[in-house]
Amino acid sequence: MAYLVESGWQYLVTHFSDFQLACIGSFLLHESVFFLSGLPFIFLERQGFLSKYKIQTKNNTPAAQGKCITRLLLYHFCVNLPLMMASYPVFTAMGMRSSFPLPSWKEVSAQILFYFIIEDFVFYWGHRILHSKWLYKNVHSVHHEYATPFGLTSEYAHPAEILFLGFATIVGPALTGPHLITLWLWMVLRVLETVEAHCGYHFPWSLSNFLPLYGGADFHDYHHRLLYTKSGNYSSTFVYMDWIFGTDKGYRRLRSLKENSDLKQT
């Protein structure tokens, strides 16, 4: 496995510049992972497959799904890509590199864990601030246009929110100056996590069934169902921030009522 990774990386650094890899390469990787992981949920919703695992019974119309995809492509090319290019000097100044040697798996794992911890903290407070009245009405309400989320709605947001909450994702890497391969792995994991959180399905194999404190689709779907400024469940990946500050009480109360109802029916 290590040989394959090193061989593939050798090809990339031989044929492309650091700027091309860090900007264009990162953008293409993001788009591939995002759309390949998110589009299947549109298919599931339209065809009604696995509907017993769908959290809400309501479906989005094809027109609403199409609007989301069109807006996403506009935002990605007009906001995300320029942002990646503009931030390249900052990341290189902070120590990001693409050269050999590649980092060890211990180093990569430690940095990724740190990124998750700091991203959860920064995202929670940023997201909670976006639910203040003025910011919700003028900025965050765009993301909440979809009360029944599907995978691709994870990145459907006002451009200001993309910049604001995007900071939570890049602050960890900016602090550590990682190898580009670590940054790519972090990006892939974050994309997969946020698509899963917005997918609208809670499967028996969902990570939240096995990984303690992991939010997942059921946790975040509750946040989208409540169209209020104080809906709670503001966390990103792991839910400890909501638990500490008591902003998941409504969700936990609803789950408790549902579990008691299920017990009475059995």
Side-chain angles (χ1 to χ4, degrees), residues 83-100:
L83 182 62
M84 286 181 178
M85 298 174 75
S87 62
Y88 173 74
V90 177
F91 275 95
T92 53
M94 297 296 287
M96 186 188 73
R97 63 183 181 86
S98 59
S99 58
F100 282 94

Side-chain angles (χ1 to χ4, degrees), residues 60-100:
N60 292 284
T61 64
Q65 294 169 339
K67 174 189 173 184
C68 177
I69 294 173
T70 302
R71 201 72 73 82
L72 281 170
L73 290 171
L74 177 66
Y75 291 161
H76 285 183
F77 278 95
C78 297
V79 179
N80 291 16
L81 181 57
L83 182 62
M84 286 181 178
M85 298 174 75
S87 62
Y88 173 74
V90 177
F91 275 95
T92 53
M94 297 296 287
M96 186 188 73
R97 63 183 181 86
S98 59
S99 58
F100 282 94

Side-chain angles (χ1 to χ4, degrees), residues 66-210:
K67 174 189 173 184
C68 177
I69 294 173
T70 302
R71 201 72 73 82
L72 281 170
L73 290 171
L74 177 66
Y75 291 161
H76 285 183
F77 278 95
C78 297
V79 179
N80 291 16
L81 181 57
L83 182 62
M84 286 181 178
M85 298 174 75
S87 62
Y88 173 74
V90 177
F91 275 95
T92 53
M94 297 296 287
M96 186 188 73
R97 63 183 181 86
S98 59
S99 58
F100 282 94
L102 296 180
S104 67
W105 282 110
K106 287 184 179 179
E107 180 183 342
V108 171
S109 300
Q111 289 185 336
I112 294 293
L113 177 61
F114 172 70
Y115 299 161
F116 270 116
I117 293 171
I118 196 168
E119 197 271 345
D120 275 327
F121 179 84
V122 175
F123 184 96
Y124 173 85
W125 288 111
H127 191 190
R128 192 167 173 178
I129 289 169
L130 284 172
H131 276 264
S132 58
K133 282 189 176 181
W134 190 90
L135 284 174
Y136 183 86
K137 179 182 178 181
N138 294 282
V139 179
H140 194 50
S141 60
V142 174
H143 181 65
H144 279 270
E145 285 179 19
Y146 292 90
T148 306
F150 54 96
L152 295 181
T153 60
S154 57
E155 295 191 5
Y156 181 88
H158 191 285
E161 180 176 341
I162 295 172
L163 297 174
F164 187 53
L165 290 184
F167 175 75
T169 302
I170 66 171
V171 63
L175 290 173
T176 63
H179 193 282
L180 182 59
I181 201 169
T182 307
L183 187 63
W184 280 5
L185 178 59
W186 165 238
M187 181 173 62
V188 168
L189 292 174
R190 274 294 293 130
V191 168
L192 293 176
E193 181 278 323
T194 192
V195 167
E196 194 269 341
H198 289 81
C199 73
Y201 291 82
H202 184 72
F203 301 110
W205 56 86
S206 294
L207 274 178
S208 56
N209 294 327
F210 309 101

Side-chain angles (χ1 to χ4, degrees), residues 218-256:
D218 188 64
F219 183 85
H220 195 68
D221 201 276
Y222 172 86
H223 177 81
H224 273 264
R225 291 201 302 274
L226 298 184
L227 300 179
Y228 305 108
T229 56
K230 300 185 184 301
S231 58
N233 288 22
Y234 302 117
S235 294
S236 174
T237 304
F238 297 99
V239 302
Y240 61 89
M241 292 293 290
D242 276 296
W243 181 78
I244 290 171
F245 293 99
T247 45
D248 63 346
K249 288 180 180 178
Y251 171 72
R252 285 192 279 123
R253 191 180 301 117
L254 182 66
R255 283 200 64 178
S256 178

